Amino acid sequence: MSKDAAELCCLRKAFNVFKSRSDHQPARPLWLRGNFSMARIQLVRVKVSWTVLLALAHLTYLLFGAIIFQILEREAESNNRNHFQLEKLNFLANYTCLDGPALEKFVQVILEAWERGVNPSGNSTNPSNWDFSSAFFFAGTVVTTIGYGNLSPSTVSGQVFCVFYALCGIPLNLAFLKQLGKCLTIHLGHLEKGMVSVVPHKQTVEALAVSSFFITGSLLFLVIPPLLFSYVEGWTFGEGFYFAFITLSTIGFGDYVVGTDPGKEYISLYRSLAGIWIIFALAWLALILSMGSRIMAHVISLTHPSFKKQQEEDNVSSNKLEDASKI
């Protein structure tokens, strides 16, 4: 056999081997590659669109709230400001020995006293803001991050201690609320098991258990306490309910605070009991809000299946990150 014939034979053998391997491992068709790429592009678009949608929804909700609050409160603020200026003019007219700058200085003193937690009404015999019951209530507002703003440490040592106290107390409070939420969840599960024997349908049992848990907690934490606060503080029930919700949601405006009226005599443990109510009610409300978020996510996943798929992928990725961090 000549040299050219031998080289041609080797080339044929190499071609046959390559062909046999290609037959066993066929290449992906072009149309399938295209569909796969389109699917990936669509998935990325879905992720981006949901992120943008949630961001727009959040921004829209904030804008909506700002507009409504401005409509409801701006005119009342203007009326209150005009009323205050009129009262100052009437005061100057009745007490001619005072001039405008002297009155403004006195108003500034009153504002500084209020900012330091001193009620300017009454006299020096007013109850202390730093007796044990009030201090216990203040400590509860620190670790729960409510922060009404009507009372705060005025000394440097008190401010420094408050910082370190909050650094240690807030994680401790979160851990306690988490454990308390687990206990409430266990009791809710026992309630569901007890109702299964009466109502065989699982979904009906879950709905009844959650409803009873919500109604019972609402009575214990959002109905009965506002009634007591209304009776003790002289508020309406609406004001008491407003204070309860603003407190338990940790918003804490400070416009309504229990135990601060100098004209009333409170029992020594009144504010301490209010602090204990805050702790347990926070755990219940946190569990209710968690249930509400899960219900919203379930409804969205039913109406938009792509959101459920994205959520599952996010959960898988977060679980991988947690496993990697443990290693």
Side-chain angles (χ1 to χ4, degrees), residues 186-223:
I186 292 173
H187 286 297
L188 182 60
H190 291 331
L191 180 62
E192 291 180 358
K193 291 180 180 178
M195 296 177 65
V196 167
S197 58
V198 180
V199 182
H201 300 288
K202 183 178 179 181
Q203 294 181 348
T204 305
V205 168
E206 291 179 353
L208 291 175
V210 172
S211 299
S212 61
F213 180 76
F214 176 77
I215 293 173
T216 304
S218 298
L219 289 174
L220 290 176
F221 300 121
L222 287 178
V223 176

Side-chain angles (χ1 to χ4, degrees), residues 178-308:
K178 183 178 180 180
Q179 186 62 32
L180 197 58
K182 289 181 179 179
C183 294
L184 293 175
T185 305
I186 292 173
H187 286 297
L188 182 60
H190 291 331
L191 180 62
E192 291 180 358
K193 291 180 180 178
M195 296 177 65
V196 167
S197 58
V198 180
V199 182
H201 300 288
K202 183 178 179 181
Q203 294 181 348
T204 305
V205 168
E206 291 179 353
L208 291 175
V210 172
S211 299
S212 61
F213 180 76
F214 176 77
I215 293 173
T216 304
S218 298
L219 289 174
L220 290 176
F221 300 121
L222 287 178
V223 176
I224 296 177
L227 287 174
L228 297 177
F229 295 145
S230 301
Y231 174 75
V232 175
E233 301 291 341
W235 299 339
T236 64
F237 177 77
E239 291 172 333
F241 183 84
Y242 169 79
F243 162 76
F245 183 81
I246 293 299
T247 297
L248 298 183
S249 59
T250 68
I251 297 173
F253 290 124
D255 49 352
Y256 288 89
V257 183
V258 295
T260 57
D261 190 349
K264 296 183 180 295
E265 295 184 1
Y266 302 100
I267 61 174
S268 58
L269 295 178
Y270 175 62
R271 301 190 80 180
S272 299
L273 294 175
I276 296 174
W277 161 74
I278 289 173
I279 297 296
F280 285 92
L282 276 175
W284 170 80
L285 186 61
L287 188 59
I288 291 297
L289 295 177
S290 177
M291 289 181 179
S293 64
R294 288 200 299 266
I295 292 173
M296 289 180 62
H298 180 67
V299 172
I300 293 175
S301 63
L302 290 178
T303 55
H304 300 82
S306 58
F307 178 78
K308 182 178 181 180

Side-chain angles (χ1 to χ4, degrees), residues 130 144-145 156 179 255:
W130 293 107
T144 56
T145 67
V156 176
Q179 186 62 32
D255 49 352

